[in-house]
Amino acid sequence: MEVNKKNVEKIIEAIGGKKNIEAATHCVTRLRFALQDESKVDEAALENNDLVKGHFSTQGQYQVIIGPGLVDKVYEELIQITGAERVSKDDVKNLASNKQNPIQRAIKTLSDIFIPILPAIVTAGLLLGINNILTGSGIFFAEKSLIQVYPQWADIASIINTIASTAFTFLPALIGWSAVVRFGGSPLLGIVLGLILVHPDLLSAYSYAEAKTNGSVPVWNLFGFEINKIGYQGQVLPVLVSAYFLAKIETFLNKRVRDSIKLLIVAPVTLLITGFLAFTVIGPVTFAAGNAITTGLVYIFDVVPALGGLIYGGLYSLLVITGMHHTFLAVDVQLIGSQGGTFLWPMLALSNIAQGAAALAMMFVFKEQKSKGLAVTSSVSAFLGVTEPAIFGVNVRHKFPFVFGMIGSAIAGVLLTINHVRATSIGVGGIPGFLSIFPNQWGVFFLGMTVVLLVPFIATVIYGKWKVNKSVDNGQKLDTETKDNSNLHSEPNQTNKQVIPTKEDNEKSVLYIKAPLSGNGVTLEKVPDPAFASGAMGQGIAIEPVEGKVVAPFDGVVAHVIKSKHAVILEHETGIQILIHVGINTVGLKGEGYKSHVQTGDQVKAGQLLLEFDRDVITNAGYPLITPIILPDGQDRIERVEVMDPAQLQSDKDVILKVYLKD
């Protein structure tokens, strides 16, 4: 596809002109800019540009989605027009980071630390929810739990509780690993540091209050100075700060100690210094600070619970847009560790449902079938805890559904806080979230769930239909119907049908695309990247890989192998192209953990090995392994696409996409 130079010029003009561009680079799907002033961006102009499939700002970068196979041509044209120098993605990332204020950088740091360990925490939360069902009184029997009525289930509940509570018991080890990686140290030392802080010889932090009351807190006597001999179970700040010092000490020593003796010097000295600092200075100070923060929050929500619920419940969706919601994950963990439960997380769960209800309501507002499909799929994703497709793909774009979602979650937030509803753990932030709530508070939580389902839905439908009628009276259309490839908007991603070749299909021009890797299928909406999740890049499916191999899904030619080897584009003899993108944001690995077996221009056969990747390298670096497989937009030969039901994916021999070609 040729690039229209005028459209590239319009992109430059829309982002504020040449002078507003500090640096520009691109990945396999989008242009990435570090801009001097993002307020100069003309979003309407971008949305009306035929080259642009979407745009958004994240972590100081402004990203303009173009699509695979075309973005490199657009970038080359942009460089020629602006006369700018080609820079790396790291250069743009560093410039973008430098433009962030200290609060934004702190939020990004917390996000980088907690996102990699989130799956372990959520899994633990779900399992604890199952344990709550088994052990909670009054759920199935009056004033009795299930295991009291059926004692034979007691040991099963005990095993589930042991498995579930492990992630929280050894939380400092998880945080230590992730934090040390973020600060540039050795992951193994981070794990050891976390385990040191919860060593069984130490008084458990959960028993500290009682021991202090009884005057039985054990101490170390260091030359006359007494140091409390306590652990830091459930604490966040002690291990975060200790991990920072560990990484800096290790880096300092690595630069100065000879390679021949590093093994004997660096790790032991680093752990000794950090350990003493953790127990003598860092731990006591941050332990007190963490408890002060949680005590302050608890006091506010105890004294004025309605106000706290109104503000946090109503504004949580705004925190998602800014990325600040990751900050409160640390607060939730701290509350669970020090207070035995969190009153913030239940509001998060209902806020997600509220945005899903508002997105679902837009199905009754939209006139166009494509928009209806996006509203339905994104709402289902939100109901299951992933709100980005609903927020970015539907609600924020039209504003009023986003506002009504916030109103619904604010009302529910007041309801939850005045009734002191708490969660025992962090779970799935949607409808399944009730599993994490204390069972005796389910009634209030379900009432709040009813509020966030009905208020945003009804308000969005009524206002939306009024707005549509008003627009029609004025001779206009709702903006989603004026341009199919506008910001983060595209055709629905799936049809939920098992793909089975038929005699009728064989008589037509139909291309069957097999799974290029083994794993568990998921819908695109669950991909943690708005460009893929919203369908802006094209239709397709995603796979959670169980092994590190990617094979060709059909006979064809390698149209492009990305320099960092994390993605490849194949072209069938019909001209149809498919993008296989291993992991999310894995361009940051610069090829580490990837091995390509083909080059651009190579002819390949179905089943031929294309690339290999090291799953541990990717996950240890904090990147999601989920792999989108998409048919990029703009392929004129495609009449329609059927996407298989992801739940029925059995192996890499299964057909995942069925592409009907135009005659």
Side-chain angles (χ1 to χ4, degrees):
M1 181 177 177
E2 294 299 322
V3 174
N4 187 321
K5 183 177 180 179
K6 290 185 178 180
N7 283 337
V8 180
E9 292 174 343
K10 289 179 180 178
I11 291 176
I12 298 169
E13 182 181 348
I15 61 174
K18 301 178 185 178
K19 294 183 179 180
N20 198 35
I21 303 174
E22 287 192 343
T25 187
H26 74 94
C27 59
V28 67
T29 59
R30 67 203 77 175
L31 299 172
R32 297 171 179 257
F33 295 99
L35 301 178
Q36 291 185 9
D37 185 358
E38 288 191 3
S39 66
K40 294 182 179 180
V41 175
D42 185 344
E43 294 186 354
L46 284 175
E47 292 170 9
N48 290 321
N49 193 311
D50 291 335
L51 286 175
V52 178
K53 294 181 174 64
H55 55 86
F56 58 93
S57 177
T58 177
Q59 298 179 352
Q61 291 185 41
Y62 201 86
Q63 301 187 17
V64 178
I65 305 168
I66 303 297
L70 189 61
V71 65
D72 50 344
K73 298 178 183 178
V74 173
Y75 180 72
E76 291 298 325
E77 194 69 49
L78 182 143
I79 292 297
Q80 290 184 19
I81 294 172
T82 61
E85 294 183 5
R86 289 176 173 81
V87 297
S88 69
K89 299 173 186 67
D90 284 340
D91 292 331
V92 172
K93 185 177 180 180
N94 291 335
L95 280 170
S97 178
N98 292 335
K99 292 178 68 64
Q100 293 179 314
N101 59 46
I103 294 177
Q104 289 174 319
R105 286 197 290 270
I107 290 170
K108 182 181 182 301
T109 299
L110 283 175
S111 173
D112 292 343
I113 291 171
F114 278 94
I115 286 179
I117 66 175
L118 190 57
I121 296 175
V122 171
T123 299
L126 285 173
L127 292 175
L128 283 173
I130 297 173
N131 182 69
N132 288 342
I133 294 175
L134 296 174
T135 60
S137 298
I139 299 177
F140 300 104
F141 306 98
E143 299 182 357
K144 287 187 176 182
S145 67
L146 187 66
I147 62 173
Q148 287 176 321
V149 177
Y150 299 103
Q152 60 268 33
W153 285 86
D155 288 340
I156 293 177
S158 177
I159 293 174
I160 292 174
N161 183 62
T162 300
I163 296 171
S165 61
T166 297
F168 290 103
T169 301
F170 297 101
L171 183 63
L174 297 177
I175 297 175
W177 161 73
S178 188
V180 169
V181 169
R182 172 61 179 80
F183 296 134
S186 299
L188 184 59
L189 292 184
I191 295 172
V192 174
L193 171 66
L195 293 175
I196 288 172
L197 296 179
V198 292
H199 195 283
D201 282 351
L202 305 171
L203 172 69
S204 171
Y206 301 127
S207 304
Y208 174 73
E210 181 181 355
K212 186 176 182 181
T213 303
N214 299 332
S216 58
V217 177
V219 296
W220 282 301
N221 193 310
L222 303 180
F223 306 105
F225 292 98
E226 290 188 345
I227 305 297
N228 286 339
K229 188 179 177 182
I230 62 172
Y232 295 98
Q233 289 85 354
Q235 298 292 310
V236 174
L237 287 179
V239 67
L240 279 179
V241 177
S242 298
Y244 175 81
F245 278 95
L246 182 143
K248 297 308 175 185
I249 293 170
E250 183 190 10
T251 302
F252 176 85
L253 293 175
N254 269 325
K255 291 179 179 178
R256 290 162 177 80
V257 176
R258 292 182 180 180
D259 291 342
S260 58
I261 57 173
K262 274 186 178 180
L263 185 62
L264 300 175
I265 301 295
V266 175
V269 172
T270 298
L271 278 175
L272 276 174
I273 294 175
T274 307
F276 270 92
L277 286 174
F279 287 123
T280 59
V281 181
I282 298 172
V285 172
T286 55
F287 183 72
N291 286 335
I293 292 171
T294 54
T295 301
L297 274 173
V298 170
Y299 177 79
I300 292 172
F301 275 84
D302 279 345
V303 175
V304 281
L307 181 61
L310 184 70
I311 294 174
Y312 190 78
L315 298 183
Y316 181 79
S317 296
L318 278 179
L319 297 178
V320 173
I321 293 177
T322 62
M324 290 180 64
H325 62 303
H326 296 301
T327 305
F328 287 90
L329 177 60
V331 179
D332 276 316
V333 171
Q334 179 74 22
L335 283 169
I336 292 169
S338 60
Q339 302 292 323
T342 172
F343 45 78
L344 296 179
W345 191 87
M347 289 183 278
L348 173 158
L350 294 190
S351 176
N352 290 351
I353 297 172
Q355 291 299 324
L360 181 63
M362 291 301 288
M363 181 186 70
F364 298 94
V365 176
F366 291 138
K367 300 296 183 182
E368 194 176 57
Q369 199 62 36
K370 291 181 180 180
S371 301
K372 287 178 179 289
L374 180 61
V376 173
T377 55
S378 63
S379 67
V380 171
S381 176
F383 291 150
L384 295 177
V386 181
T387 56
E388 280 79 2
I391 289 178
F392 292 107
V394 179
N395 296 351
V396 169
R397 175 172 169 72
H398 298 286
K399 298 181 179 64
F400 66 89
F402 183 72
V403 172
F404 289 134
M406 291 173 61
I407 292 172
S409 60
I411 296 171
V414 172
L415 178 66
L416 294 185
T417 51
I418 62 176
N419 287 282
H420 305 289
V421 174
R422 295 190 303 164
T424 60
S425 59
I426 296 168
V428 176
I431 291 176
F434 76 91
L435 291 171
S436 297
I437 306 299
F438 282 95
N440 63 339
Q441 298 171 340
W442 279 3
V444 178
F445 186 79
F446 284 135
L447 183 58
M449 190 182 296
T450 302
V451 170
V452 294
L453 284 169
L454 294 181
V455 171
F457 184 87
I458 294 172
T460 300
V461 170
I462 293 174
Y463 181 82
K465 286 186 175 294
W466 173 81
K467 185 176 182 181
V468 170
N469 292 334
K470 183 179 179 181
S471 299
V472 171
D473 291 340
N474 294 332
Q476 301 172 348
K477 291 183 179 180
L478 197 63
D479 56 357
T480 19
E481 299 172 46
T482 61
K483 189 176 187 292
D484 290 343
N485 63 344
S486 53
N487 182 33
L488 296 182
H489 171 72
S490 77
E491 196 167 342
N493 296 320
Q494 62 170 0
T495 62
N496 289 323
K497 294 180 180 179
Q498 174 73 26
V499 179
I500 303 175
T502 65
K503 181 178 179 182
E504 181 183 358
D505 292 338
N506 294 331
E507 294 173 355
K508 299 179 180 180
S509 296
V510 180
L511 171 61
Y512 296 96
I513 299 178
K514 295 182 179 179
L517 66 169
S518 298
N520 303 311
V522 295
T523 58
L524 284 183
E525 287 83 2
K526 295 184 179 179
V527 177
D529 182 292
F532 290 111
S534 65
M537 296 305 308
Q539 300 178 76
I541 195 171
I543 295 176
E544 291 275 12
V546 295
E547 63 175 349
K549 293 183 179 180
V550 176
V551 300
F554 50 66
D555 295 346
V557 63
V558 179
H560 190 43
V561 177
I562 308 307
K563 185 178 180 180
S564 51
K565 295 177 281 190
H566 69 287
V568 61
I569 300 175
L570 295 184
E571 183 172 320
H572 190 259
E573 62 179 4
T574 59
I576 299 301
Q577 290 189 341
I578 187 169
L579 166 67
I580 306 167
H581 194 289
V582 181
I584 300 301
N585 289 325
T586 41
V587 63
L589 288 172
K590 302 178 184 178
E592 182 184 358
Y594 291 89
K595 180 180 180 181
S596 178
H597 292 274
V598 292
Q599 297 179 344
T600 300
D602 286 355
Q603 295 285 337
V604 295
K605 294 290 185 181
Q608 180 176 333
L609 184 63
L610 301 178
L611 63 89
E612 292 180 282
F613 56 94
D614 190 320
R615 299 169 72 248
D616 291 336
V617 169
I618 298 170
T619 54
N620 289 343
Y623 296 103
L625 267 175
I626 191 169
T627 299
I629 300 106
I630 64 167
L631 294 160
D633 283 345
Q635 302 190 65
D636 296 334
R637 285 219 60 197
I638 297 178
E639 180 178 298
R640 65 186 176 90
V641 178
E642 288 186 9
V643 183
M644 71 165 284
D645 181 353
Q648 298 186 29
L649 179 61
Q650 300 295 321
S651 71
D652 58 6
K653 302 295 189 294
D654 288 346
V655 173
I656 56 171
L657 300 172
K658 182 176 176 181
V659 185
Y660 290 86
L661 306 177
K662 294 179 181 178
D663 294 333

